[in-house]
Amino acid sequence: MPETLTVELMAALELGDPAVDVPRLARIARIAAAASGHDDDAAATAFIAGYAAGLAEGTGQAGFERAHRASLRGIETFLSRAVTAERSTP
């Protein structure tokens, strides 16, 4: 999703202007789809990243920017392990 469309979508949903790292999120989503072989996993990964960040912010664990970075980092770590495990499986 082009970053301008993402910004317009967030404005349409009255989400304000959170600092979302759209390029990083898009890259992670593509990796998830490639790792699983299912395009739907890209959308699910993007949703999970936002859900995790929103949950952390909503429960007072962290502000949105910090929670968003942490959710992306966690997903990157998970995907790295999943891809490595898949490659090492005969």
Side-chain angles (χ1 to χ4, degrees), residues 3-62:
E3 191 165 354
T4 56
L5 180 61
T6 305
V7 171
E8 291 174 15
L9 178 59
M10 290 189 313
L13 295 174
E14 299 178 2
L15 295 176
D17 190 22
V20 176
D21 189 343
V22 175
R24 184 176 177 194
L25 183 56
R27 181 179 53 78
I28 291 169
R30 285 191 301 274
I31 292 169
S36 71
H38 301 284
D39 289 342
D40 292 346
D41 287 336
T45 300
F47 170 79
I48 291 167
Y51 182 78
L55 187 61
E57 180 186 31
T59 59
Q61 295 178 29

Side-chain angles (χ1 to χ4, degrees), residues 54-80:
L55 187 61
E57 180 186 31
T59 59
Q61 295 178 29
F64 180 80
E65 290 182 33
R66 183 173 177 216
H68 177 61
R69 285 191 312 269
S71 72
L72 294 181
R73 189 171 47 252
I75 291 170
E76 287 170 330
T77 300
F78 171 82
L79 289 174
S80 176

